[in-house]
Amino acid sequence: MDTSFERIVRGIATPACLIVTLIATSPVYAGHGAIARPAAQIGSNGLFRPSAQIGSNGFIRPSAQIGSNGFIRPSAQIGSNGFIRPSAQIGSNAISSPEAQTWLPMPRGISALSHPDAQIGSNGMVRPNAQIGSNTIVRTDAQIGSNGIVRPDAQIGSNAIVRPDAQIGSNAMARPDAQIGSNGIVRPDAQIGSNAIVRPDAQIGSNAVARPDAQIGSNGIVRPDAQIGSNAIVRPDAQIGSNAMARPDAQIGSNGIVRPDAQIGSNAIVRPDAQIGSNAVARPDAQIGSNGVARPNAQIGSNSAMRPGSRIAFD
């Protein structure tokens, strides 16, 4: 077998590209048309497919593989046994940790950080400075915005969008087509349903659930274990307490407060600045007027209407 340097860097395009450090004691294989830029390093048993490119100061660890047309930007690092799929791209200063796998095609983030065992689906995009934790899954066509953070074991569904500076907690799930606004926070184990929208600066507590097509307004807060039903709307600055439930199609107005363990029935409306006390129940189609107060354990019957500023207490 030919063990010459020419075999090792077969097909490299120009003399300027031959300035490459081979840290291998075992063979390194480079396919036709492959390019290793100045000061690049390729480890033992590295596999460098046809037309792949490694930028200046790039570092390919032992046994790593770069697929055909793969592109490793300057100063990027590919960990041992890492596998960069055909046509994938790793941004400048990015680090792909050992045994990480990047699926076709790789997001084009600069300084993005993808941890071991993370999976990025086809056409997935991880923007600059985003972080993808261990065992996370970013599905096909999903997007992670600049400085976004997806914690370990979280899942981002197909076509879902995590906007810049948003955070997705460990084991949290954003279903297909969900949107998490800038600076939004989805706490560990929370679930955001398909087509649900979490507006900028909103917070979804641990184990909370926002069902499909639900909307959480800007600066809205959904406390741990609360549930927001399908098509329900939580307006800006509203708060939903722990274990509280807003049934499908319910509406909570701006600055409205639903205390822990309260229930808001289907199609019920809590107007702006109204308050629903702990364990209170607003039955389906009920309306609580602006600045209205339903005291703890109060019950508002179906189709009932509380006037603005009125109060009701449990007797």
Side-chain angles (χ1 to χ4, degrees), residues 34-182:
I35 299 174
R37 300 289 181 188
Q41 299 186 40
I42 304 175
S44 303
N45 296 301
L47 184 56
F48 192 33
R49 300 284 185 186
S51 303
Q53 298 186 39
I54 303 179
S56 301
N57 298 299
F59 198 108
I60 311 303
R61 301 284 182 184
S63 303
Q65 298 185 41
I66 312 302
S68 301
N69 298 300
F71 198 107
I72 312 305
R73 301 282 182 185
S75 304
Q77 298 184 38
I78 309 304
S80 302
N81 298 300
F83 197 109
I84 309 306
R85 300 287 181 182
S87 303
Q89 297 187 36
I90 310 296
S92 301
N93 299 301
I95 299 174
S96 181
S97 297
E99 300 181 13
Q101 297 191 25
T102 301
W103 305 97
L104 170 67
M106 173 63 191
R108 294 180 292 277
I110 306 301
S111 301
L113 177 61
S114 179
H115 281 279
D117 302 307
Q119 297 184 38
I120 313 295
S122 299
N123 297 303
M125 185 172 293
V126 179
R127 299 287 186 183
N129 300 307
Q131 297 184 39
I132 308 298
S134 302
N135 298 301
T136 55
I137 299 175
V138 179
R139 301 286 185 187
T140 302
D141 296 299
Q143 296 184 39
I144 311 300
S146 301
N147 298 299
I149 298 175
V150 181
R151 301 289 183 188
D153 299 294
Q155 295 188 40
I156 309 299
S158 301
N159 295 297
I161 299 175
V162 177
R163 300 288 183 188
D165 298 292
Q167 297 185 40
I168 308 298
S170 301
N171 295 298
M173 186 176 294
R175 300 286 186 184
D177 298 291
Q179 295 187 42
I180 313 300
S182 300

Side-chain angles (χ1 to χ4, degrees), residues 266-304:
S266 299
N267 296 297
I269 300 175
V270 178
R271 299 289 183 188
D273 299 294
Q275 297 186 40
I276 308 299
S278 300
N279 296 295
V281 178
R283 301 289 181 188
D285 299 293
Q287 294 189 38
I288 292 82
S290 300
N291 296 295
V293 178
R295 298 292 186 186
N297 301 302
Q299 296 192 34
I300 293 69
S302 298
N303 297 296
S304 297

Side-chain angles (χ1 to χ4, degrees), residues 1-12 18 22 24-34 42 45-48:
M1 176 182 292
D2 181 10
T3 59
S4 67
F5 183 80
E6 286 75 19
R7 177 188 62 76
I8 294 173
V9 292
R10 182 182 300 117
I12 287 179
L18 295 177
L22 299 175
T25 55
S26 300
V28 174
Y29 301 93
H32 179 73
I42 304 175
N45 296 301
L47 184 56
F48 192 33

